Amino acid sequence: MTEELLYDVQDGIGTITFNRPQARNAMTFAMYERLGEICREVETDDRVKALLITGAGDKAFAAGTDIGQFRAFKGPDDALAYEARIDRLLSALERCRVPTVAAIAGACTGGGAAIAAVCDLRIAAPNARFGFPIARTLGNCLSVANYARLSALIGTARVKDIIFTARLVDAPEAQAIGLVSEVIAEGADLLGRAGEVARTVASHAPLTLRATKEALLRIQEKMTPEESDDLIVSCYMSQDFQEGMDAFLNKRPPVWTGK
């Protein structure tokens, strides 16, 4: 497990690396849990002034959740527990006491895109691609909390565009719509630039940063309906979701029935 998610603290910057390049850094449940643990550890670790999150290699930040793990789903409770787990970890990350910076190269999709979206700042390489292609792959849905997070970041119309078309947003468009704050020049050092940004924000007044983060979260939470279990169950327990998993794992187009 420790080799799949690396964590190191140097000169006030905690660096988290998703380390499954052979699987495009797809997230296992254990990796999600470790990410949440680190966020909680930072609460009492005065060495850490900022967190930098990235993926190993230049092919992917994180290409969502490892699809094979969904095979274990047997009933509604499994689907609800999965989305609750993701929401819990994302809440821990977005409420982390220190600034968080995502350094993104390659695919940043599904759960990976959700992780990047809750970071405070996002720095992208020219080859970065963002999206939630679930409408053409698995046929599942996001939690209402995640829809609200995305809507707060890029607006409702753009969320619909990205989800409905299942397309991936390239780096220039991501910067234009506010999905990333900066795209580095071709051939530039992504981690070097992201580290520079992390050190800059880490040097600023901690109370100002924390108050700003908390104020924006309070505004965002007013957008989040409390109940969405029926939506999650309707997708994850459907025949279409089973079809989507099988098609994805067998590298064939899914045949949707709406059931």
Side-chain angles (χ1 to χ4, degrees):
M1 173 54 233
T2 54
E3 294 181 354
E4 292 184 346
L5 192 152
L6 308 177
Y7 179 54
D8 181 53
V9 179
Q10 296 288 337
D11 300 323
I13 308 299
T15 301
I16 297 170
T17 304
F18 305 136
N19 190 38
R20 297 184 73 210
Q22 76 284 359
R24 288 158 57 93
N25 298 322
M27 300 288 290
T28 64
F29 292 166
M31 291 168 68
Y32 280 125
E33 292 299 330
R34 179 58 183 141
L35 178 58
E37 286 175 3
I38 292 170
C39 292
R40 290 187 289 274
E41 290 171 9
V42 167
E43 294 299 316
T44 56
D45 189 348
D46 292 337
R47 296 177 304 157
V48 181
K49 307 303 181 186
L51 274 182
L52 175 59
I53 304 176
T54 193
D58 61 358
K59 303 298 184 185
F61 173 78
T65 300
D66 189 319
I67 303 303
Q69 299 193 94
F70 291 131
R71 288 291 198 186
F73 281 20
K74 301 299 183 184
D77 288 348
D78 294 315
L80 296 174
Y82 167 71
E83 287 296 344
R85 168 184 281 173
I86 299 302
D87 278 340
R88 184 173 66 250
L89 119 79
L90 293 176
S91 292
L93 182 55
E94 68 184 347
R95 291 189 176 280
C96 185
R97 85 175 164 81
V98 300
T100 54
V101 180
I104 303 160
C108 182
T109 55
I115 290 170
V118 299
C119 288
D120 297 314
L121 298 171
R122 287 159 295 281
I123 311 297
N127 71 336
R129 299 293 183 271
F130 303 82
F132 297 84
I134 51 179
R136 64 173 167 81
T137 55
L138 296 182
N140 59 327
C141 65
L142 308 183
S143 70
V144 169
N146 271 329
Y147 285 123
R149 289 179 176 110
L150 288 172
S151 181
L153 182 63
I154 61 174
T156 301
R158 289 193 178 104
V159 174
K160 288 181 179 179
D161 172 33
I162 291 171
I163 299 289
F164 287 12
T165 64
R167 68 187 180 88
L168 299 186
V169 176
D170 64 18
E173 182 184 359
Q175 185 175 25
I177 66 176
L179 189 53
V180 301
S181 50
E182 180 180 340
V183 178
I184 64 168
E186 193 77 44
D189 180 5
L190 174 63
L191 280 181
R193 175 55 184 156
E196 181 183 353
V197 172
R199 288 188 293 274
T200 296
V201 296
S203 71
H204 293 159
L207 293 181
T208 299
L209 304 182
R210 289 181 211 168
T212 300
K213 288 179 67 164
E214 180 61 25
L216 293 173
L217 283 172
R218 291 182 187 183
I219 293 169
Q220 177 182 307
E221 286 168 354
K222 294 181 182 298
M223 302 167 56
T224 310
E226 295 180 358
E227 298 297 333
S228 62
D229 288 0
D230 60 323
L231 303 177
I232 292 169
V233 169
S234 71
C235 287
Y236 281 93
M237 293 298 103
S238 67
Q239 295 175 25
D240 271 357
F241 184 64
Q242 295 298 320
E243 165 67 8
M245 280 195 296
D246 187 75
F248 185 93
L249 294 172
N250 288 288
K251 297 179 169 36
R252 63 173 178 81
V255 178
W256 306 118
T257 64
K259 299 179 181 179

